[in-house]
Amino acid sequence: MSPTLTTKLQPGTPAPDFTLRDAQGRETSLADYRGKNVIVYFYPKAATPGCTTEACDFRDSLASLQGKGYEVVGISPDAQEALAGFSGDFSLTFPLLSDPDHAVALAYGAWGEKLVHGEIHEGIVRSTVVVDPEGNVTLAQYQVQADGHVARLKEALGI
């Protein structure tokens, strides 16, 4: 396997725009969030233990995040049907977007080599990027741990 090199985003740089479909097939774009802060998080696979922990943590923290002016969007390579099941099974109340060719993950630096069960695989690197109302990156975190991630993110954001 030849590694795909991605560049990690840096604070102060424009966030790459995207348009992806949600679990119901509706198009959602980063531009839809202009004028708001948005937390864009990338996760490897719906309904797996770490991804479920992280998604439920965002769900449980959504009111406090929104109260401080932050919206949340999750992105994975999962098909829309998998996202719909995941969202329904865990009562997720924020958009989950399908990035089947991982083009958005590549643009955000959230795709690359990672160690899974002692073997190197290429895939989603669990990552979170915070975008300001003007569309610029304010925070970019890569290789985050699912457990406790939202609490650490809120601390970094001063929430």
Side-chain angles (χ1 to χ4, degrees):
M1 159 183 13
S2 63
T4 303
L5 299 175
T6 61
T7 303
K8 293 178 177 19
L9 298 180
Q10 299 298 319
T13 61
D17 203 6
F18 61 79
T19 300
L20 296 172
R21 294 197 180 274
D22 69 9
Q24 291 71 42
R26 294 180 301 245
E27 286 191 346
T28 299
S29 298
L30 181 61
D32 298 340
Y33 293 92
R34 280 295 186 271
K36 300 178 182 178
N37 292 296
V38 61
I39 297 166
V40 180
Y41 84 97
F42 293 85
Y43 62 98
K45 187 165 177 54
T48 56
C51 296
T52 299
T53 294
E54 186 177 30
C56 290
D57 205 0
F58 272 115
R59 176 201 64 204
D60 295 346
S61 299
L62 192 59
S64 66
L65 289 166
Q66 288 176 330
K68 294 295 185 179
Y70 291 88
E71 297 295 327
V72 174
V73 175
I75 299 177
S76 77
D78 293 303
Q80 292 170 19
E81 300 78 23
L83 297 179
F86 185 40
S87 187
D89 289 349
F90 295 97
S91 302
L92 303 178
T93 53
F94 53 86
L96 298 178
L97 305 180
S98 176
D99 183 22
D101 62 1
H102 56 265
V104 176
L106 275 167
Y108 275 70
W111 183 269
E113 288 185 348
K114 59 185 184 171
L115 194 61
V116 179
H117 304 299
E119 295 184 23
I120 294 177
H121 295 274
E122 192 171 318
I124 293 287
V125 175
R126 192 178 307 278
S127 306
T128 299
V129 176
V130 181
V131 181
D132 72 14
E134 289 75 45
N136 295 310
V137 174
T138 58
L139 180 69
Q141 298 178 330
Y142 295 94
Q143 297 182 343
V144 301
Q145 296 298 115
D147 195 30
H149 171 56
V150 176
R152 290 186 298 275
L153 177 63
K154 287 172 70 173
E155 185 176 320
L157 296 172
I159 298 174

